[in-house]
Amino acid sequence: MTITLYDFELSGNCYKLRLMMNILNLAYEVVPVDFFPGREHKSDWFLRLNPFGQLPVLQDDGLTLSDSGAILAYLARKYDASGLWFPKDAAVTAEILRWHAIADDITATASAARLALGYDYDFDIDKTQKGAHRIFRIIDEHLWFGEKQGRDWLCSPAHPTTADIACFPYVMLSEEGGISRQDYPALRRWTDRVRRVPGFTVMSGIFPAGPAR
Amino acid sequence: MPLSVSDPTWYPIASSEDLPFRHVYQGQLLGRELAVWRADDGNVNAWENRCLHRGVRLSIGINEGQELKCQYHGWRYANRSAGCTYIPAHPADAPARRIENRKYPVREAYGLIWSAANDDLPFTGFPGAEGGDWFALRPMPVNARPGDVVAGLAGLAPDDQPADVMQGLSVRLGNIVYFVQPVDADRAVIRGLLAGKPADPIATLRHYNEGLTKLRDRLEKAAARKPVPEKLSPIFEKVSADLASMPDIAIPRGATLPVVVKRKWQNADGVVSFELADRDGRHLPTFQPGAHIDLHLPNGLVRQYSLTNGPGDLMSYVIGVKQENASKGGSKVLVESVRAGDVMAISEPRNNFPLRRDAARTVLIAGGIGITPLLSMSRFLDQSRLPYELHYFTRSGESAAFSSELTALHGRVERHVGLARDAIRARVSQALGPYEFAHHVYICGPGAMLEMVQEVASGLGWPDEAVHFEYFQNDKIIDQSSAFDIELARSAMTLHVPAGKTILETMRDAGLTVPSSCEQGACGTCLTTVIEGEVDHQDVYLNKTEKASNSCMMTCVSRAKSGRLVLDI
C-alpha cells in the first residue's frame, strides 16, 4: 500500500511531510495540488478530501489524514522503529504537542508574511512580521539555554523529534516574508543541525548545510 | 553623539560560542552586515556579508572548514585572505586569484568576538580587561538607538553606586561590563561580561537574561514612541578594477614578496621540505590547487616549486625539494645552503595546472616529487568532499614524501613502491580504465613517466583535454639553429630571431615586457597565441592536440618551421 501525499511544492507544511518521510526512508506518491495561483485546495474535489481546505493531505492504509502536525505524529508512531521521533513518554509527548502548536503559530505569522509578500495574500504584513519576531525571540532563548544545558533540539536532549520538523520550514523560509534571523543566533545554529539530520531533503529556499566537524 | 559609519572603535559583534566549527554567523556593525566564521584552524573571519558574484549573503553559505562556499553559485573564498579560489564554469577554471571579499579587523578576547569598521585603531580591549577571568552573558538584541541603550544600562545602577560609562558605548556596573554593539541607528545588542565564572552558571545566566529582557522591553516601548532614526548607510566601495580583472598577462618578472624560511626538514629520503612564511606573520596570497611559486635562489637562479597546501591554508607555504646529484644548481643550493631563518624572495602563486572541480571522476597520478601539486589538489578535493583517487609511485629505497599528510586524506590513496617500469605501466592502465565522459586525470612526475601515462591514457581512449600534466623541467635538448622573422600583430613590430637566440630574448631586446618564468618550456607562463605560421614546438607544456593546432606556443623555447610567425602580442 503506497502512501499518497497531496502536495504543493512550495508549501512549508507539505515539505514537513516530505522531510519526515525522507528521514524515515518511506516511499510515497505525490498528487500535485495547484495551491497558487490555481487555489485548487478550495476546489470541490479537494474539499471532499479535507473540508478545511488545507494542504497537506496524506492517504495511507485507507485513511485520509490532514494537518501537518497530526500527520507527523502519525508517520513517526507508525513507521519510526526507533521510537525517537515521537517518543511515548507522557512528558515528552506533551512537550512535542506544545511545539506543534507553536509551529502553527509560526505558520500564522512567518508563513502568512511570506504569503502576503510572495503570493498576493491579503494579510497585515507588519503584524505578521512582528508576531514572527516575538516567537523567534522565545525560540532563540529556549535553544540558547538548551545549548548551555546540553540540549540540541526543541524537546529532547539527544535526538530531534517531530517538533523540530514542524517548526523548521517556516523558520528557514522567514526571509521570504521579510523576517531576518540575524538577531537569533541560537535559532540559526539549530537550523544547521536540522539540515544535518540524515535523510534531510531540500525544497526551494531550504538548502543543506555542510557536514559538521 | 550620533553614530558614525567610519567610527574606528572596536565593538563586540558576537560571543565566542556563537561560532562553532562549520557555522556562519550573521552579524552587523554600524550598518555593515557581516559574515563571521571560524575556520578549522581556529582563525575567525569577519567579512562583508555578500558573495562578490551577485550579492547573495555569505551567512547562508557553507563553512567548509578552510573555505566558505556561496550557497547559490558555488564561488569559494579562502580562510584569512577572503580570496576567491574558485568560480564554477569559469574559463580555464582559474579565477583571478586576487579577487578578494572585503574583510574587517577581528579579534577574539574575553569570550567575545570584536570588530571595527576600519583598521584605524589598534585593539586594546577595555580598562581592567587584562588578567580578568571573564564570563560572557547571553547577548540581548534591542530595537532601540544604541545611545538610548547605553543610557538604559546606566540607569540600572543603584543611586549610591552610579554606573561608570566608558568609551566605546560601554557601561561598568559593579562586577559587570556591558558593551552596546551599535548594529544600526535603531538597533543594538547588549553584550555583558561578568568578572569571574559564577558558581551556578545557568542560574546566573538566567538571572541576568531576565533583567536584560525587562530592560529591553522598556527600551523598545520607549523607542516606539520616538521617531525612527535614519538607518546608517555605509558606502560600499566597488572592488577595484585592478583586483576584479584577471591578472595582467604581462606579470613583470621580478615582482616578488619576501618570505622567511620558518622550517626546513628532511621530509623523506631525498626530499627536503621548506615552510615559507610572511616576515610579519600576515597571511600569504591566495592560491589555487596546482599552483606554484618562483623561488629566487641565493645563486641568482629562479626555480618553480608547487605548493602542497590545502584550501585557505595561507599562514605559510610548504614546498618539497628533491635532492638531486646531477642538479644544475637549483635544488642543490636550496638544500645545502638555505637554512631556517633565512629570508628569500618568491613570486605570487601562479597556476598553470588548474584543477577542475566539476569532474565525475578525478584520478591523480604522482611520480616521486611530483606528489607536491597533487597533494594540494587532493586536499582541495578532500575538503569539498569530491571523490578522487591518488596513485603515488616512488622508487625502491626512497620513502614517500608527505606521508603523514597523505594519511590524513579521506580519499582513495594508493602508494606504489619500487615497481618496475612495466609494472607501473600496468598499474597506471588499471587505475585509468577506459575513458568515460567527465573523467579527468592529472599527472606530475619525471618526464619519462609523464610520457608513459599520456601514452597509456591515449591508448585507453582518453582525449587530450581530459589529461592534465605538469612537467618539473624540460629534459629535451633545444634546437636553436633556425632563424626566422616574427611579426607582433598588436605591437605592430617585425623582429628577426637569429639562430642561438630565443623569441623571448628577441622581444625583450626590442623593449617589450613579456611574461616568463621557467624559460625552459615547462611552466606555461609565456604561452602566446599564434595567428599565422608554422611552429617548431620544443616545450613539454602543450599537449599533442594543442601543438598540432598551431595556434599557440611557448616563446621561451619554441621556434618556427616557416620563415615567419605572426604572434598575438
Side-chain angles (χ1 to χ4, degrees):
Chain A
M1 190 71 199
T2 20
I3 303 173
T4 304
L5 173 68
Y6 291 82
D7 181 59
F8 178 63
E9 173 68 31
L10 300 177
S11 151
N13 280 327
C14 293
Y15 165 71
K16 290 173 191 177
L17 303 189
R18 300 198 299 269
L19 179 56
M20 190 75 243
M21 289 194 282
N22 217 57
I23 289 168
L24 297 177
N25 201 16
L26 298 176
Y28 61 96
E29 269 172 18
V30 163
V31 177
V33 179
D34 185 10
F35 172 86
F36 183 85
R39 291 182 57 78
E40 220 181 336
H41 58 302
K42 303 291 181 195
S43 65
D44 291 344
W45 73 267
F46 190 85
L47 290 173
R48 263 176 247 125
L49 280 175
N50 179 10
F52 294 100
Q54 285 172 335
L55 281 167
V57 165
L58 185 122
Q59 287 179 323
D60 181 35
D61 255 349
L63 291 169
T64 298
L65 306 165
S66 63
D67 182 83
S68 61
I71 301 170
L72 282 174
Y74 168 83
L75 288 170
R77 268 288 153 82
K78 182 152 182 198
Y79 294 107
D80 167 30
S82 76
L84 292 167
W85 285 95
F86 198 85
K88 287 193 171 151
D89 178 270
V92 181
T93 304
E95 246 190 286
I96 293 174
L97 292 178
R98 177 72 198 96
W99 283 99
H100 279 194
I102 291 164
D104 289 339
D105 292 342
I106 299 172
T107 303
T109 54
S111 167
R114 174 176 175 257
L115 289 175
L117 283 176
Y119 299 78
D120 295 340
Y121 271 67
D122 185 22
F123 291 122
D124 181 339
I125 295 174
D126 190 52
K127 199 177 144 198
T128 52
Q129 288 177 340
K130 277 192 176 136
H133 280 295
R134 187 178 51 78
I135 297 168
F136 286 3
R137 271 186 175 177
I138 297 168
I139 305 180
D140 185 71
E141 186 175 327
H142 175 76
L143 288 166
W144 195 90
F145 281 101
E147 285 177 348
K148 287 277 165 210
Q149 291 163 299
R151 172 175 52 73
D152 274 349
W153 309 101
L154 290 172
C155 299
S156 76
H159 193 278
T161 61
T162 57
D164 296 283
I165 304 288
C167 292
F168 172 73
Y170 288 119
V171 167
M172 279 306 292
L173 295 169
S174 73
E175 291 273 0
E176 292 181 16
I179 301 144
S180 164
R181 295 186 292 278
Q182 191 189 92
D183 284 344
Y184 317 110
L187 183 75
R188 294 187 72 250
R189 291 193 290 276
W190 167 76
T191 63
D192 271 14
R193 294 194 282 272
V194 175
R195 290 182 292 155
R196 286 175 185 145
V197 169
F200 175 79
T201 186
V202 297
M203 73 169 271
S204 179
I206 301 182
F207 35 82
R213 192 176 90 159
Chain B
M1 195 187 69
L3 294 172
S4 155
V5 287
S6 53
D7 175 3
T9 312
W10 287 80
Y11 294 104
I13 53 160
S15 301
S16 287
E17 53 208 20
D18 281 330
L19 306 180
F21 290 112
R22 307 298 171 93
H23 176 75
V24 189
Y25 174 85
Q26 183 182 11
Q28 189 169 320
L29 182 65
L30 294 164
R32 294 174 183 85
E33 224 186 87
L34 308 170
V36 189
W37 62 285
R38 189 188 297 278
D40 284 0
D41 63 4
N43 181 58
V44 175
N45 296 283
W47 296 352
E48 190 177 322
N49 192 14
R50 60 171 188 143
C51 172
L52 293 171
H53 181 33
R54 295 221 176 128
V56 173
R57 283 199 173 98
L58 284 174
S59 55
I60 58 165
I62 295 179
N63 172 355
E64 293 202 322
Q66 293 295 339
E67 287 180 306
L68 185 55
K69 184 171 97 174
C70 173
Q71 183 71 60
Y72 275 77
H73 305 101
W75 287 36
R76 287 166 190 276
Y77 301 89
N79 173 34
R80 295 182 188 272
S81 70
C84 180
T85 57
Y86 180 66
I87 300 177
H90 192 278
D93 196 37
R97 64 182 172 274
R98 290 178 300 159
I99 297 183
E100 286 182 5
N101 197 358
R102 187 169 308 285
K103 290 172 286 188
Y104 292 99
V106 65
R107 279 300 143 71
E108 183 166 16
Y110 329 116
L112 298 176
I113 308 293
W114 304 72
S115 184
N118 52 52
D119 277 312
D120 293 355
L121 285 181
F123 176 75
T124 52
F126 56 96
E130 285 317 313
D133 182 15
W134 299 98
F135 179 74
L137 301 179
R138 177 169 182 253
M140 183 63 60
V142 185
N143 293 318
R145 299 174 194 229
D148 293 348
V149 177
V150 173
L153 284 164
L156 294 178
D159 290 345
D160 55 334
Q161 279 178 311
D164 182 7
V165 178
M166 307 187 297
Q167 241 199 328
L169 303 179
S170 62
V171 179
R172 192 187 285 270
L173 283 172
N175 64 341
I176 299 183
V177 187
Y178 286 112
F179 300 90
V180 175
Q181 170 193 347
V183 173
D184 209 324
D186 59 342
R187 291 169 60 212
V189 181
I190 303 171
R191 299 187 181 274
L193 286 181
L194 188 64
K197 196 181 174 193
D200 185 346
I202 300 283
T204 307
L205 288 169
R206 286 217 184 266
H207 167 76
Y208 286 106
N209 186 59
E210 210 177 299
L212 289 179
T213 303
K214 280 183 186 143
L215 173 66
R216 177 187 69 189
D217 293 347
R218 276 210 311 279
L219 288 165
E220 290 189 345
K221 256 184 208 141
R225 288 192 296 269
K226 287 170 122 182
V228 180
E230 200 175 318
K231 295 248 185 203
L232 294 175
S233 35
I235 295 156
F236 297 103
E237 301 147 48
K238 282 200 167 155
V239 175
S240 73
D242 177 45
L243 288 182
S245 53
M246 287 291 282
D248 200 343
I249 279 192
I251 305 161
R253 193 171 176 168
T256 59
L257 48 128
V259 286
V260 63
V261 178
K262 217 172 133 188
R263 206 155 61 101
K264 172 191 180 182
W265 70 102
Q266 190 81 32
N267 191 313
D269 212 18
V271 179
V272 176
S273 275
F274 292 86
E275 184 179 0
L276 311 168
D278 180 82
R279 284 186 302 178
D280 302 320
R282 285 186 294 251
H283 69 77
L284 295 164
T286 320
F287 65 95
Q288 306 243 325
H292 68 268
I293 48 167
D294 294 349
L295 194 55
H296 294 248
L297 304 173
N299 59 359
L301 286 175
V302 179
R303 285 287 177 267
Q304 287 73 44
Y305 294 97
S306 298
L307 303 181
T308 62
N309 298 52
D313 183 11
L314 299 180
M315 289 314 284
S316 60
Y317 293 151
V318 174
I319 59 168
V321 180
K322 188 172 157 59
Q323 287 170 294
E324 283 186 273
N325 300 327
S327 164
K328 287 179 213 152
S331 68
K332 195 174 160 70
V333 70
L334 199 48
V335 169
E336 287 175 5
S337 68
V338 174
R339 295 196 190 108
D342 286 358
V343 173
M344 302 187 82
I346 61 168
S347 68
E348 275 194 13
R350 267 199 285 276
N351 195 10
N352 295 321
F353 193 28
L355 171 70
R356 292 184 65 135
R357 285 190 250 186
D358 58 351
R361 177 168 175 244
T362 302
V363 184
L364 310 170
I365 298 179
I369 194 63
I371 187 67
T372 51
L374 300 182
L375 172 59
S376 180
M377 288 182 178
S378 308
R379 286 170 150 175
F380 272 80
L381 293 166
D382 218 59
Q383 285 274 343
S384 308
R385 288 167 301 282
L386 293 167
Y388 64 92
E389 302 149 47
L390 171 62
H391 294 270
Y392 183 17
F393 294 89
T394 51
R395 261 184 240 137
S396 107
E398 174 193 48
S399 65
F402 298 101
S403 231
S404 53
E405 288 82 353
L406 292 171
T407 309
L409 296 171
H410 302 93
R412 200 174 122 196
V413 179
E414 287 189 28
R415 294 165 223 224
H416 312 280
V417 185
L419 296 184
R421 208 177 147 70
D422 285 350
I424 296 180
R425 194 187 184 92
R427 196 65 200 80
V428 165
S429 171
Q430 197 187 354
L432 286 174
Y435 175 73
E436 279 177 51
F437 177 71
H439 285 196
H440 288 270
V441 60
Y442 298 80
I443 321 148
C444 189
M449 180 178 169
L450 259 72
E451 267 144 42
M452 183 268 281
V453 180
Q454 287 176 67
E455 214 180 279
V456 170
S458 166
L460 288 164
W462 288 63
D464 279 353
E465 61 270 20
V467 180
H468 313 266
F469 52 86
E470 181 160 74
Y471 280 84
F472 272 116
Q473 58 194 41
N474 187 355
D475 294 330
K476 291 181 182 167
I477 295 151
I478 310 293
D479 173 11
Q480 289 201 328
S481 61
S482 60
F484 53 94
D485 286 337
I486 48 170
E487 237 181 86
L488 308 180
R490 278 199 259 174
S491 314
M493 257 189 214
T494 301
L495 303 171
H496 180 69
V497 183
K501 204 164 189 183
T502 67
I503 297 176
L504 195 68
E505 286 162 355
T506 309
M507 291 193 292
R508 288 211 173 116
D509 286 349
L512 291 160
T513 307
V514 275
S516 74
S517 179
C518 75
E519 303 200 357
Q520 49 170 310
C523 78
T525 308
C526 63
L527 180 71
T528 301
T529 302
V530 177
I531 299 169
E532 231 180 276
E534 198 188 338
V535 184
D536 172 17
H537 295 285
Q538 306 200 43
D539 65 277
V540 289
Y541 180 79
L542 298 172
N543 66 33
K544 267 189 213 135
T545 316
E546 288 163 332
K547 282 180 180 165
S549 75
N550 236 345
S551 63
C552 53
M553 71 182 296
M554 299 297 143
T555 56
C556 65
V557 292
S558 303
R559 306 188 74 81
K561 285 181 184 163
S562 50
R564 194 183 65 127
L565 282 180
V566 182
L567 303 180
D568 186 22
I569 286 184

